Amino acid sequence: MTRHCLILIFTFSLLTSIYGQTKKISCDCPKSRYAGTKAEDTFNLSNGQTVVLSGYKDSDSKPTTYSGFILSVCGQNKIIDFWSEVMTYRLKVNKDTLFIDEIQNLPTGKNFKYQETVWTTEKIYFSGQKVVRKLVVNRQIRKYNQNEIQTVLKSYKIAKPELDGISMEIANKLFIASISGNKKALQYFKEFETKFGTLDGAFAEEYKDLTSMLVLWDKKE
């Protein structure tokens, strides 16, 4: 091969590299009012699509948790959505689907111990180039047995009509007893404010969240 040919090949390769870089697809998130554009994490699906995340990532948590983040498809100029900064999420990929677990701290452990519990799972996948989203409630949450339910009902009946952390724990236990299928627990949950007084601040937000979760639980999928 002549020296002249080598120079031409080198020049062509150099130009291809330079112009190829200008067409490189950006895998940062597009601008939004919710979070920055720097991708904190990248999720590669088996169908070749890549979803990027920008927001808060807690790498010290095992497994890693996220909050206050946006998701977008690599190379697109709009976000998929924003996930709340007051919630905690875990993300994982299984083949061509991204799973987003919403984690709630609920009294589902032994002796009503609070523990991190998957409340909902949102599935994100693609139909062609279109993003498809499906939200499902985790119906495998541990339910209360009859003895536990009776303990919760008794704690509600004998509780003093004072709004504090203890009464809010009763609200959470009534919530679990309600999704366990007990109608009396559901009645007490709905009458909670009647007994303990009008809620405000963090207590109001917590009760509102539990009420919304109960509505979602009763919704047919």
Side-chain angles (χ1 to χ4, degrees):
M1 185 177 292
T2 66
R3 182 173 180 273
H4 179 68
C5 289
L6 288 172
I7 292 173
L8 287 176
I9 292 172
F10 176 76
T11 303
F12 178 77
S13 298
L14 181 61
L15 289 173
T16 301
S17 176
I18 292 173
Y19 286 106
Q21 287 178 5
T22 61
K23 295 180 181 180
K24 183 180 180 180
I25 296 176
S26 172
C27 275
D28 282 336
C29 291
K31 291 182 179 179
S32 72
R33 62 188 179 90
Y34 302 107
T37 58
K38 180 183 177 182
E40 295 295 336
D41 222 333
T42 302
F43 303 93
N44 299 306
L45 309 186
S46 62
N47 62 358
Q49 294 284 6
T50 298
V51 177
V52 290
L53 177 150
S54 178
Y56 179 71
K57 174 182 178 180
D58 185 359
S59 299
D60 293 331
S61 176
K62 303 299 178 186
T64 300
T65 57
Y66 306 82
S67 61
F69 63 89
I70 58 175
L71 292 177
S72 61
V73 180
C74 182
Q76 294 190 5
N77 59 3
K78 63 179 181 179
I79 68 172
I80 296 175
D81 209 342
F82 169 71
W83 280 260
S84 175
E85 67 276 3
V86 299
M87 297 295 183
T88 300
Y89 303 89
R90 294 182 187 140
L91 282 72
K92 61 183 177 183
V93 171
N94 185 3
K95 297 181 180 179
D96 64 351
T97 304
L98 175 63
F99 293 84
I100 307 172
D101 291 336
E102 179 186 316
I103 308 300
Q104 292 281 352
N105 197 31
L106 296 170
T108 54
K110 186 177 181 180
N111 297 322
F112 306 106
K113 181 179 179 180
Y114 278 77
Q115 59 184 21
E116 292 184 340
T117 305
V118 175
W119 168 240
T120 61
T121 297
E122 184 167 6
K123 302 176 183 178
I124 294 182
Y125 54 97
F126 290 81
S127 176
Q129 296 299 310
K130 183 180 178 182
V131 175
V132 180
R133 301 170 61 181
K134 182 178 181 181
L135 183 72
V136 294
V137 176
N138 175 21
R139 300 193 179 276
Q140 303 305 311
I141 291 176
R142 190 186 80 81
K143 314 301 188 301
Y144 289 162
N145 58 39
Q146 288 303 311
N147 288 336
E148 291 172 318
I149 289 174
Q150 291 306 313
T151 298
V152 173
L153 297 179
K154 182 179 179 180
S155 67
Y156 175 84
K157 288 187 286 186
I158 66 175
K160 296 180 180 179
E162 299 173 356
L163 187 59
D164 53 21
I166 294 176
S167 55
M168 289 310 299
E169 286 186 10
I170 294 175
N172 279 267
K173 294 173 185 176
L174 286 172
F175 166 77
I176 299 297
S178 295
I179 67 174
S180 298
N182 188 269
K183 294 182 179 180
K184 180 61 72 172
L186 177 60
Q187 177 188 332
Y188 287 168
F189 180 84
K190 292 180 176 179
E191 296 174 353
F192 187 81
E193 286 190 279
T194 302
K195 176 166 184 171
F196 294 103
T198 303
L199 307 178
D200 59 10
F203 289 157
E205 286 298 317
E206 185 175 356
Y207 185 73
K208 179 182 177 182
D209 288 343
L210 290 172
T211 301
S212 298
M213 290 165 66
L214 196 55
V215 172
L216 187 59
W217 179 269
D218 290 335
K219 186 177 179 180
K220 292 183 178 180
E221 298 176 352

